[in-house]
Amino acid sequence: MFQLEAEQAEVRRGRWRDDWSVAVTAAGAAALVWCVVTQAASVDLAVRSASGAQEVNVVSVVVTALVAALAGGGLLRVLERRSRRGLTIWSWVAAAVLAVSLVGPLGAVSLSAGVCLALLHVVVGAVVIGLLRMRHAGRVA
């Protein structure tokens, strides 16, 4: 009986490949928002940099969403292994990271670009936080 419980616990433990679908979903949502904003609404997504303005293209949006989702999944996995309240701790950390990330769009070259960049941050954050919480709810360390 103990071995069966141990096997079930092992099956329920998260793995990296479980988070790839969350990362791909977040990247797809970000790419969709980017397309709507830049193509349909004709907003020029650019941020100020030391050498002028830097264009925010779809590749940077997708790569950033993938990295954020996989980093979030990795942190969640570590916290779950170290604490029984790992998911709760991670949720607070993820919300704080999302809030701090909203400082980035303040460097946009226009108000419309800033609002759209903030929307991108919120969409990726909502997808990552929501889906990782759903996938990890009820898992054991």
Side-chain angles (χ1 to χ4, degrees), residues 1-13 140:
M1 183 68 170
F2 177 71
Q3 185 175 0
L4 180 59
E5 290 174 4
E7 289 174 7
Q8 288 175 341
E10 185 66 32
V11 169
R12 296 182 70 195
R13 180 180 290 169
V140 293

Side-chain angles (χ1 to χ4, degrees), residues 90-110:
W90 178 85
S91 297
W92 284 102
V93 170
V97 168
L98 174 58
V100 170
S101 80
L102 292 174
V103 172
L106 294 176
V109 296
S110 68

Side-chain angles (χ1 to χ4, degrees), residues 21-92:
S21 62
V22 173
V24 169
T25 302
L32 179 64
V33 170
W34 182 90
C35 287
V36 168
V37 164
T38 60
Q39 305 304 310
S42 299
V43 175
D44 182 31
L45 291 183
V47 293
R48 290 182 208 98
S49 66
S51 62
Q54 182 177 359
E55 192 73 24
V56 178
N57 61 29
V58 72
V59 173
S60 62
V61 167
V62 167
V63 169
T64 301
L66 286 171
V67 169
L70 292 174
L75 177 61
L76 177 54
R77 197 169 328 289
V78 167
L79 289 172
E80 283 180 329
R81 288 191 177 120
R82 297 192 184 269
S83 172
R84 290 173 37 145
R85 296 180 15 165
L87 183 60
T88 302
I89 295 167
W90 178 85
S91 297
W92 284 102

